[in-house]
Amino acid sequence: MKLSIQIIIGLVVGIIVGLLLNIFAADAFDVLDKYIFSPVGKLFLNLIKMLVVPIVFFSIALGAAGIGDPKKLGRIGGKTIGYFLVTTSIALVIALSLATLIQPGAGGGFDTEQANFEEDAEAPPVVDTILNIIPTNPIDAMAKGDMLQIIAFAIFVGFAVAVLGEKTKAVHRLLEEGNEILMYLVNIVMILAPYGAFALIASAVGSFGLEALQAMGLYFGTVVLALLIHAVLTYGTAVSTLGKMNPLAFFKGFAPAMSVAFSTSSSSGTLPVSMKTAQENLNVPKQVSSFVQPLGATINMDGTAIMQGVATVFIAQVYAIDLSMADLVTVVLTAVLASIGTAGVPGVGLIMLAMVLNQVGLPVEAIGLVLGVDRLLDMTRTAVNITGDASCAVIVAKSEEKHGGPQQPQADLDI
């Protein structure tokens, strides 16, 4: 049985088991979650996270070394960031439009007195984020898992390897062999993916159950609908028109990575799997995948932007506050800029939402209303985020063919 089918089965069985235990055997769920679900899920997450920092460094350095030419490196970087800014803007327009049309917060009955949220971190200014991209201590950046700094250092190393050529042939070979070792380890870890997916989803669904979904059903449904529309229409259209790839082949080929992202709720944590899947199933050249996808896992937040857009309109409706067109434009601009400016900050989704609410004069404590279902929504929007990274990689690879870049064969439907 193909791995993607195994993972999907694990997810479906996990949802069923989690719901049944939550409804009929809450005490049994507590025991199973403590000794089986949480430990197995955490083991799987730790195995993947173990590979994230080394795979980002080796893949980015190897990708930069393969690209070599500074103009080409800048061209690919510009296309990547430009694509993410455009798709994030589209994501917000979809979210605001759907939330305005469906009006998830207009029904009333929400306990706003119990809603509370305390900002335990502030998003740094965009200028500070840009300045902090250059690490003063690359080893410390790797120890802390600061992805932007790791990416910057890896680009410098890869560029130096490319420029020095024969003098650093051994280092180039080391990067290649290190990358091969890490990809092999990814293959081993993925054997546990169906079990990890089952344990993680069973734990999440069993903890929240149907009550949280029923209380916030319309908000939850609006966010999920916006995520699906964005993934299918925005990414599907972009892949078809710009990437010249069959959208069905794209989604089918990338399904294994989307399943892992759904269960882990971590774009960077899923990075080893998403890169491997894009390279093998979507035929994205390694040097493009190695550059675009780690960068996307750090700064691409389309799914988070959709949550912010829907949540902002939802909160405004709950508090009966009318948002003007100027307010909606402010939401779009703030969220798009924040998607770059808050890259790498822990709890980035809620920090960005707090920023957006402050900009349009809505109470920040209202975030407490959406926290109940945010864990489940986080799983869905993470899957959308990494799909956006993969679509960008496909499009950038196709656009580089006219510049003499590596060819991108048509993805095989038999995956």
Side-chain angles (χ1 to χ4, degrees):
M1 189 183 296
K2 294 174 184 176
L3 181 62
S4 57
I5 302 298
Q6 294 179 38
I7 295 173
I8 291 172
I9 291 174
L11 288 171
V12 172
V13 174
I15 290 172
I16 295 171
V17 170
L19 278 176
L20 290 176
L21 288 172
N22 179 271
I23 296 170
F24 299 109
D27 292 337
F29 168 76
D30 291 338
V31 175
L32 289 171
D33 188 46
K34 183 177 180 179
Y35 295 104
I36 297 178
F37 298 152
S38 290
V40 172
K42 188 173 182 180
L43 174 65
F44 177 61
L45 282 177
N46 287 348
L47 285 169
I48 291 183
K49 289 179 179 179
M50 172 184 72
L51 302 174
V52 171
V53 169
I55 210 169
V56 166
F57 174 76
F58 277 94
S59 61
I60 285 279
L62 195 58
I67 294 171
D69 182 7
K71 291 183 179 178
K72 187 175 181 181
L73 195 62
R75 187 172 65 239
I76 291 177
K79 290 176 183 176
T80 301
I81 294 174
Y83 179 82
F84 291 148
L85 290 175
V86 170
T87 57
T88 301
S89 301
I90 294 172
L92 280 160
V93 171
I94 292 173
L96 293 172
S97 301
L98 275 180
T100 303
L101 179 66
I102 297 174
Q103 298 190 339
F110 296 98
D111 187 3
T112 56
E113 292 184 4
Q114 298 299 319
N116 59 73
F117 173 79
E118 295 182 5
E119 292 180 81
D120 54 5
E122 292 185 1
V126 175
V127 174
D128 288 353
T129 301
I130 294 173
L131 291 176
N132 290 334
I133 287 175
I134 306 301
T136 55
N137 185 339
I139 306 302
D140 183 56
M142 291 181 185
K144 292 179 178 177
D146 191 325
M147 288 302 162
L148 281 180
Q149 293 191 354
I150 295 170
I151 289 171
F153 179 64
I155 290 173
F156 282 120
V157 171
F159 179 67
V161 169
V163 171
L164 294 173
E166 286 296 319
K167 294 180 181 179
T168 54
K169 187 176 180 179
V171 176
H172 193 285
R173 184 172 180 81
L174 176 64
L175 291 174
E176 290 178 332
E177 291 175 349
N179 196 57
E180 288 297 324
I181 290 171
L182 291 167
M183 287 302 175
Y184 175 75
L185 291 177
V186 171
N187 286 330
I188 294 177
V189 171
M190 285 304 292
I191 295 173
L192 294 175
Y195 309 102
F198 164 79
L200 288 166
I201 194 70
S203 178
V205 174
S207 297
F208 294 105
L210 290 176
E211 290 184 6
L213 293 181
Q214 289 171 349
M216 298 290 291
L218 205 53
Y219 165 76
F220 185 91
T222 304
V223 176
V224 171
L225 180 60
L227 290 168
L228 289 174
I229 290 174
H230 185 62
V232 174
L233 292 185
T234 306
Y235 297 150
T237 302
V239 165
S240 176
T241 57
L242 301 176
K244 308 300 180 185
M245 178 181 287
N246 185 333
L248 292 177
F250 171 77
F251 287 115
K252 185 176 180 181
F254 200 62
M258 294 169 68
S259 301
V260 173
F262 184 81
S263 61
T264 61
S265 301
S266 172
S267 295
S268 58
T270 314
L271 186 58
V273 180
S274 60
M275 286 176 57
K276 177 179 180 293
T277 306
Q279 292 168 17
E280 295 182 359
N281 293 358
L282 305 180
N283 299 307
V284 176
K286 283 187 178 181
Q287 60 180 240
V288 173
S289 169
S290 298
F291 184 84
V292 171
Q293 288 179 274
L295 186 59
T298 308
I299 66 172
N300 178 35
M301 299 182 183
D302 287 3
T304 304
I306 284 174
M307 178 275 289
Q308 292 163 7
V310 175
T312 300
V313 176
F314 168 76
I315 289 169
Q317 291 167 355
V318 168
Y319 284 84
I321 298 173
D322 291 328
L323 294 178
S324 66
M325 182 57 67
D327 290 331
L328 296 178
V329 172
T330 300
V331 170
V332 174
L333 292 176
T334 304
V336 170
L337 292 175
S339 68
I340 302 295
T342 57
V345 177
V348 66
L350 296 178
I351 293 171
M352 289 169 64
L353 179 55
M355 288 174 58
V356 172
L357 294 178
N358 277 325
Q359 285 296 314
V360 293
L362 292 173
V364 173
E365 60 270 17
I367 291 177
L369 288 172
V370 302
L371 281 178
V373 293
D374 193 66
R375 175 67 177 83
L376 296 176
L377 286 176
D378 193 21
M379 303 166 84
T380 310
R381 64 178 183 253
T382 301
V384 171
N385 283 344
I386 68 156
T387 305
D389 301 341
S391 69
C392 182
V394 167
I395 290 165
V396 169
K398 186 65 179 179
S399 70
E400 284 301 302
E401 289 181 7
K402 63 183 179 182
H403 295 288
Q407 296 298 302
Q408 176 191 9
Q410 184 67 32
D412 189 354
L413 277 170
D414 184 22
I415 295 167

